[in-house]
Amino acid sequence: YGNHHFVHELYFESVGVIITLVLLGKYLERITIGKTSDAIKKLLNLAPKTATIIVDKVEKVIPIDDVRVGDIIITKPGERIPVDGEVIEGTTSVDESMLTGESIPVEKTIGSIVIGTTININGLIKFRATKVGKDTVMAQIIKLVEEAQNSKAPIARLADIIARYFVTAVIIIALIAGLTWYIFGKSLIFSLTIFITVLVIACPCALGLATPTSIMVGTGKGAELGILFKSGEALEIAHKVKTILLDKTGTITIGIPKVTDILTTNHFTEEQILQMASSLEKGSEHPLGEAIVRYATTKSVSFLEINNLIALPGRGIIGNVDKVEVILGNAKLLDEQKIKNTLLNEANDFSSFGKTPMYVVINKTLAGLIVVADVVKPTSKEAISKLKALGINVVMITGDNKKTANATGKSVGITDIIDEILPQDKANEVKKIQEKNQIVAMVGDGLNDAPALAQADIGVAIGTGIDIAIESADIVLMHSDLINLVKMITLSRKTLNNIKQNLFWAFVYNFVGILIAGGLLYLFGGPLLNPMIAAGAMAFSSISVLLNALRLKRSKV
């Protein structure tokens, strides 16, 4: 009929462009979400595809899936270790940085544990497979990261509830906006355009994506740093922690006694008393004796023949070393043997620093002191200082006596100390702090820490600890360095800030977008929003939220 202007109101191109923009937005979402799982992909790519096993003294290359527990595997320099196992032949250095974050290679000898996917650097070793398939450390890490990325944090559940009601609310708003313009005299086409534009621009996707994408990136970033969050909830709660309880042995300290000092009298040299004491302790299984033997080995001391060995529990040990009587023990043993103690003041000084002095007597003459201590990890003091700078109260909990506990606490800057505590009472101490309305994290590595780890709001296990401690924890630090604890708190805070940013912009976008789509600008003489532009804006809102989440990957922790 010659009314050509009606062509502009058929909206064929609008339908095509809207669908194209929505699909493009979804496509870009999938690509961006895929990038949040890069940590999993990297871990999967680390695993070797084959292993070289020894069958009837012949090397045989088999697929990694065919390796069985008990198989003898050979790994050459430069190769990745295929599965977890125990070294039975050879020595080497292994790069475990992808698991622990520690750049210094770890020495491996007969009896050492090797972990699949780590790199054998410079020696040929044979080891017996102890864990294969889904039981390996790497498989467990991948499982933990996947579960954490798929779990919902409390803030994510809140966003889901909001998104659920959001759709109904938007439909109602779109109807009200369209009907309002129609009632006030606009055409049906105009009112329908308003209705469609409001529906198209409103984006529950942005709300729905705001939290899970940040959680996925945060847990992936944690995995790269050797921090394994078992759930999104653990990642979220970590930022609220106000008090951290640190177990002393194996957490603040190395957990293995070491010789720290040797003090001699004028009658003997340091080499002489070390040789006598280590020879005497060679047959002992006492931890302090083992520390002396280990130290002597590093000094290339030659062990002498011993006989007439007598162990005196709680006091020390007596025996003949190369036909010379040697006594090694505490002050009580010296009194029993009627040996004059001329080093009592020096011994007390060492004790005040949390160290254990042992007297060495050779042929009834006091030869000197060998001092042993569970030394503090090199980075413990720095880590505790940084935790305090983050506004966190740090408490040390230990079964040691007050003097030893205070000495260790003082050396790392901890003043709040719970000492002489029985293992079964650690959980009660956690509960007491929780009753003060504080979010508490417990950090430990041993069997005696498991109840406290379970009781705490966040249980953090040191990766070098035993399985039950790791099972009881919410977060696992693959490396025993407490600096990772600082990284854990920082990463949690950055992730939660990222989630809040995403939610804020998602709400702001939808609020402003709906107002403009409803004709607010048009009401004051501005343009009417085209549904095609609304579709593009909707797609961009989702992408912007995802891109903001991906910023976490590049953030410094």
Side-chain angles (χ1 to χ4, degrees):
Y1 296 102
N3 297 324
H4 303 301
H5 64 276
F6 280 113
V7 170
H8 299 295
E9 297 179 348
L10 292 177
Y11 295 108
F12 290 127
E13 81 289 353
S14 297
V15 173
V17 172
I18 288 171
I19 291 172
T20 300
L21 287 171
V22 170
L23 289 176
L24 176 63
K26 293 294 179 187
Y27 172 68
L28 292 173
E29 277 180 27
R30 300 314 302 173
I31 291 174
T32 317
I33 288 172
K35 290 184 178 179
T36 64
S37 298
D38 280 350
I40 293 285
K41 293 172 190 170
K42 286 178 184 175
L43 292 173
L44 287 169
N45 290 335
L46 288 175
K49 302 298 182 284
T50 60
T52 304
I53 66 170
I54 307 294
V55 181
D56 297 328
K57 299 183 180 180
V58 177
E59 293 184 17
K60 182 181 178 183
V61 179
I62 63 171
I64 193 74
D65 294 336
D66 292 344
V67 177
R68 298 290 178 263
V69 173
D71 284 349
I72 305 302
I73 300 170
I74 187 168
T75 305
K76 297 168 185 175
E79 293 182 344
R80 285 193 183 275
I81 293 167
V83 296
D84 300 357
E86 181 180 345
V87 178
I88 60 171
E89 186 179 314
T91 60
T92 189
S93 297
V94 174
D95 178 1
E96 296 183 345
S97 58
M98 71 285 297
L99 289 175
T100 65
E102 178 57 63
S103 58
I104 300 172
V106 181
E107 297 297 319
K108 301 292 182 180
T109 57
I110 294 172
S112 297
I113 301 299
V114 290
I115 299 172
T117 73
T118 56
I119 302 171
N120 180 18
I121 296 178
N122 57 14
L124 187 146
I125 56 168
K126 290 181 184 178
F127 66 94
R128 181 179 291 105
T130 55
K131 292 181 180 178
V132 300
K134 61 179 175 40
D135 296 324
T136 63
V137 169
M138 182 56 71
Q140 292 299 312
I141 290 173
I142 291 170
K143 182 183 175 186
L144 279 177
V145 176
E146 284 178 334
E147 287 176 350
Q149 290 189 338
N150 291 324
S151 67
K152 286 192 181 295
I155 197 168
R157 290 192 283 271
L158 175 63
D160 284 350
I161 292 169
I162 294 169
R164 193 182 308 151
Y165 292 107
F166 178 82
V167 176
T168 306
V170 167
I171 292 172
I172 293 169
I173 292 169
L175 283 168
I176 292 171
L179 287 171
T180 301
W181 282 107
Y182 186 73
I183 290 168
F184 282 93
K186 289 296 181 181
S187 68
L188 179 61
I189 289 175
F190 183 95
S191 302
L192 195 58
T193 300
I194 293 289
F195 173 75
I196 291 169
T197 307
V198 172
L199 285 182
V200 170
I201 202 166
C203 184
C205 305
L207 285 172
L209 291 168
T211 303
T213 48
S214 295
I215 294 288
M216 289 177 79
V217 176
T219 50
K221 179 81 173 177
E224 290 175 11
L225 296 169
I227 304 165
L228 301 182
F229 295 94
K230 289 189 177 181
S231 66
E233 186 171 1
L235 177 61
E236 179 181 339
I237 294 175
H239 90 285
K240 300 178 183 177
V241 168
K242 294 298 180 186
T243 298
I244 291 181
L245 273 73
L246 299 175
D247 175 51
K248 182 182 86 74
T249 306
T251 302
I252 295 174
T253 65
I254 291 173
I256 302 172
K258 288 188 173 184
V259 173
T260 60
D261 304 273
I262 295 180
L263 189 67
T264 64
T265 61
N266 295 328
H267 304 289
F268 298 91
T269 65
E270 185 177 309
E271 289 76 13
Q272 283 177 309
I273 69 169
L274 181 59
Q275 184 180 45
M276 291 293 186
S278 59
S279 297
L280 193 66
E281 290 286 9
K282 193 75 171 71
S284 168
E285 293 182 355
H286 194 282
L288 299 182
E290 290 176 353
I292 294 173
V293 173
R294 277 196 304 271
Y295 183 74
T297 303
T298 63
K299 296 292 184 180
S300 301
V301 169
S302 56
F303 299 106
L304 303 174
E305 183 182 343
I306 61 169
N307 51 59
N308 300 329
L309 192 68
I310 302 171
L312 304 168
R315 288 164 291 167
I317 191 169
I318 299 175
N320 292 331
V321 179
D322 200 23
K323 299 179 181 178
V324 175
E325 186 190 61
V326 178
I327 299 171
L328 179 65
N330 55 24
K332 189 183 292 185
L333 183 57
L334 259 65
D335 291 340
E336 288 179 3
Q337 296 295 317
K338 296 184 169 46
I339 306 294
K340 186 178 180 182
N341 190 350
T342 56
L343 296 174
L344 181 61
N345 290 336
E346 288 85 349
N348 288 338
D349 287 341
F350 284 120
S351 295
S352 67
F353 287 103
K355 299 181 178 182
T356 303
M358 290 181 283
Y359 295 92
V360 182
V361 178
I362 301 174
N363 273 342
K364 300 295 182 182
T365 302
L366 183 58
L369 290 172
I370 295 181
V371 184
V372 176
D374 180 8
V375 298
V376 169
K377 292 174 183 175
T379 57
S380 289
K381 185 175 182 178
E382 179 191 358
I384 288 161
S385 174
K386 288 185 175 181
L387 286 171
K388 288 182 176 180
L390 291 172
I392 293 172
N393 180 38
V394 182
V395 180
M396 185 176 79
I397 186 165
T398 178
D400 286 351
N401 61 62
K402 188 175 289 293
K403 182 185 283 188
T404 302
N406 286 338
T408 303
K410 186 178 179 182
S411 69
V412 294
I414 298 178
T415 54
D416 199 348
I417 299 168
I418 302 171
D419 52 50
E420 298 183 14
I421 195 79
L422 295 172
Q424 60 268 30
D425 293 332
K426 285 186 178 181
N428 290 330
E429 294 298 327
V430 172
K431 197 180 293 183
K432 285 178 186 176
I433 298 173
Q434 287 173 323
E435 287 169 356
K436 299 174 184 176
N437 294 322
Q438 290 199 33
I439 302 296
V440 179
M442 171 71 197
V443 186
D445 71 332
L447 176 64
N448 60 359
D449 299 318
L453 290 171
Q455 173 64 40
D457 298 284
I458 289 289
V460 183
I462 300 293
T464 51
I466 62 168
D467 289 345
I468 191 168
I470 293 172
E471 283 295 319
S472 303
D474 304 291
I475 301 170
V476 179
L477 304 182
M478 291 303 296
H479 188 45
S480 61
D481 192 335
L482 285 183
I483 287 292
N484 273 7
L485 196 58
V486 182
K487 292 179 182 178
M488 179 196 84
I489 298 293
T490 307
L491 179 59
S492 174
R493 290 183 179 183
K494 281 181 177 284
T495 303
L496 263 292
N497 284 337
N498 192 272
I499 289 171
K500 289 172 184 176
Q501 289 167 7
N502 283 348
L503 288 172
F504 173 78
W505 287 113
F507 277 115
V508 166
Y509 161 78
N510 280 293
F511 179 74
V512 174
I514 288 170
L515 287 177
I516 294 172
L520 183 65
L521 295 180
Y522 184 82
L523 188 63
F524 294 98
L528 189 66
L529 189 63
N530 189 298
M532 290 185 288
I533 296 173
M538 183 274 290
F540 176 75
S541 71
S542 296
I543 303 303
S544 63
V545 164
L546 289 163
L547 290 175
N548 187 50
L550 286 173
R551 285 193 311 110
L552 273 173
K553 293 182 72 174
R554 297 187 300 276
S555 65
K556 291 184 178 180
V557 180

